[in-house]
Amino acid sequence: MGGAKAEDKPAAATAEDDWCYQFGNKNAFDSKAPKKSPLALRVVVFAMTVLCGISIWSMCMKQLGSDGWSRIVKIEVVEQPCNKSTVPPSEVQFAHYPQPTTYSSHMNVSSNGEIFSRKERRSNISSIVNAMDRVYSLDWNSSASKNECTAAIGFKWMLNQGLVANHVAVVDYFNRRGVSAIFLFRRNLLRQLVSQLANNHDRFLKQLNGTHKAHVHTEHEAHILARYKPRLNTSSLIRKLKQADEYTRDALENLNNTRHITVYYEDIVRNRTRLLDALDFLGVPRRELASRHVKIHTKPLSEQIENWDEVYSALNGTQYEGFLNAADYT
């Protein structure tokens, strides 16, 4: 912080300046003064002291000029770096503190949704990389608010949305940018199939006031979508379940060289502390997490599949019979 020092004397000092400086010296008035000065003398001395101080201040300000005044009162605010003390040393390389160019924000966990649902964003690896660059620079306009310095910024990416098809380049990008992946799978592939068929059904019929919704926020909406009971082709059912199982295993193998954690849907429903494991994995503070989503299919599979008896007979005694009675809705 700039400014003149208290002991500095202006180069162009006048006689008045000398008088003022001398006035502050203890020898200016010596023993010639009486021990008890009259009240009038005290008032005069006080007034002269004030006037001298004002005169010195005025002279100093004129010599310093407006730039000198700015140097005196200017306090530069320097942006404090993010505190990495909560991040383990082994994880520091994965800590990402972005600096957006299109808007300012505080950084906390931020989910941008299913950004690759639009085909043009996943048409080739260049489009995919461009979309991810925007997300990790916090320049994706639909991003949720960020509230803390230590941040995790991401999105939801379905396996069939260009992830598996471009897995080599994606793994390279993840490792180069320090991206951490949370693989969310469902153990009960039969329930997953029912959900997929129900979602495809509503995609065409748009049962909620002409709008397709994969996720709902009210019990009423969930009840409307759950009324649909798909009829499964039992002749190809085992083959479909096997393909889904192999597809998941291949994806895990292809993406295994990334920093990742695997979480299962059933574990989250039954044990909420599994979400804390995900927060620990991301290196962000633990918090009680909540969702506005309302589960659509809450009944046993026997009440959600139209030809349940046929499906039961087709899977009973096979490696997939465990899907028949497993409940993930409690």
Side-chain angles (χ1 to χ4, degrees), residues 164-185:
V164 172
N166 298 277
H167 66 87
V168 175
V170 169
V171 168
D172 176 72
Y173 180 93
F174 279 12
N175 292 332
R176 177 165 44 85
R177 292 293 303 268
V179 176
S180 299
I182 299 178
F183 297 137
L184 176 62
F185 295 114

Side-chain angles (χ1 to χ4, degrees), residues 124-193:
N124 52 61
I125 189 60
S126 297
S127 300
I128 292 174
V129 168
N130 179 64
M132 290 193 293
D133 281 344
R134 289 176 58 197
V135 168
Y136 295 130
S137 296
L138 285 184
D139 283 328
W140 197 270
N141 292 331
S142 63
S143 176
S145 62
K146 273 67 66 176
N147 300 315
E148 288 198 3
C149 191
T150 302
I153 303 97
F155 51 90
K156 181 181 179 181
W157 199 354
M158 308 299 285
L159 295 179
N160 62 351
Q161 293 176 345
L163 176 56
V164 172
N166 298 277
H167 66 87
V168 175
V170 169
V171 168
D172 176 72
Y173 180 93
F174 279 12
N175 292 332
R176 177 165 44 85
R177 292 293 303 268
V179 176
S180 299
I182 299 178
F183 297 137
L184 176 62
F185 295 114
R186 197 164 186 169
R187 287 196 175 95
N188 194 325
L189 300 178
L190 183 59
R191 281 190 169 272
Q192 178 176 292
L193 179 59

Side-chain angles (χ1 to χ4, degrees), residues 7-256:
E7 67 272 20
D8 289 345
K9 182 177 179 181
T14 63
E16 180 182 351
D17 296 330
D18 292 331
W19 186 88
C20 290
Y21 276 106
Q22 184 63 28
F23 188 81
N25 191 291
K26 65 179 180 179
N27 294 322
F29 292 93
D30 52 19
S31 59
K32 294 180 180 180
K35 293 183 179 180
K36 293 184 179 180
S37 302
L39 178 61
L41 179 58
R42 293 182 181 180
V43 172
V44 171
V45 171
F46 176 77
M48 293 178 65
T49 303
V50 172
L51 291 174
C52 182
I54 295 174
S55 176
I56 293 174
W57 178 258
S58 177
M59 293 291 295
C60 291
M61 289 302 98
K62 288 180 180 179
Q63 292 184 16
L64 286 174
S66 58
D67 291 340
W69 173 247
S70 299
R71 289 195 296 270
I72 292 177
V73 301
K74 181 180 180 181
I75 300 177
E76 184 177 359
V77 179
V78 180
E79 183 178 356
Q80 297 296 322
C82 295
N83 182 13
K84 299 184 181 181
S85 62
T86 59
V87 181
S90 61
E91 305 295 335
V92 170
Q93 61 176 317
F94 302 111
H96 180 56
Y97 305 108
Q99 297 294 330
T101 58
T102 57
Y103 66 93
S104 300
S105 67
H106 294 290
M107 288 156 275
N108 197 354
V109 177
S110 173
S111 176
N112 294 274
E114 203 170 322
I115 67 172
F116 290 116
S117 60
R118 295 177 59 175
K119 293 182 179 180
E120 63 270 18
R121 294 176 185 162
R122 62 176 195 262
S123 58
N124 52 61
I125 189 60
S126 297
S127 300
I128 292 174
V129 168
N130 179 64
M132 290 193 293
D133 281 344
R134 289 176 58 197
V135 168
Y136 295 130
S137 296
L138 285 184
D139 283 328
W140 197 270
N141 292 331
S142 63
S143 176
S145 62
K146 273 67 66 176
N147 300 315
E148 288 198 3
C149 191
T150 302
I153 303 97
F155 51 90
K156 181 181 179 181
W157 199 354
M158 308 299 285
L159 295 179
N160 62 351
Q161 293 176 345
L163 176 56
V164 172
N166 298 277
H167 66 87
V168 175
V170 169
V171 168
D172 176 72
Y173 180 93
F174 279 12
N175 292 332
R176 177 165 44 85
R177 292 293 303 268
V179 176
S180 299
I182 299 178
F183 297 137
L184 176 62
F185 295 114
R186 197 164 186 169
R187 287 196 175 95
N188 194 325
L189 300 178
L190 183 59
R191 281 190 169 272
Q192 178 176 292
L193 179 59
V194 171
S195 296
Q196 290 173 344
L197 293 174
N199 184 60
N200 291 337
H201 176 76
D202 184 68
R203 191 186 305 275
F204 292 102
L205 292 186
K206 299 178 174 58
Q207 303 167 86
L208 299 175
N209 297 323
T211 303
H212 168 61
K213 291 186 178 181
H215 308 286
V216 297
H217 298 151
T218 67
E219 296 285 350
H220 175 69
E221 292 176 328
H223 175 72
I224 293 176
L225 298 183
R227 289 184 303 189
Y228 172 70
K229 297 182 180 181
R231 183 177 184 84
L232 306 186
N233 186 344
T234 55
S235 61
S236 61
L237 181 57
I238 293 180
R239 177 170 55 83
K240 282 188 175 182
L241 294 177
K242 185 178 180 179
Q243 288 176 343
D245 192 17
E246 292 177 347
Y247 190 72
T248 300
R249 292 177 184 274
D250 290 343
L252 278 174
E253 183 178 351
N254 292 332
L255 301 170
N256 189 52

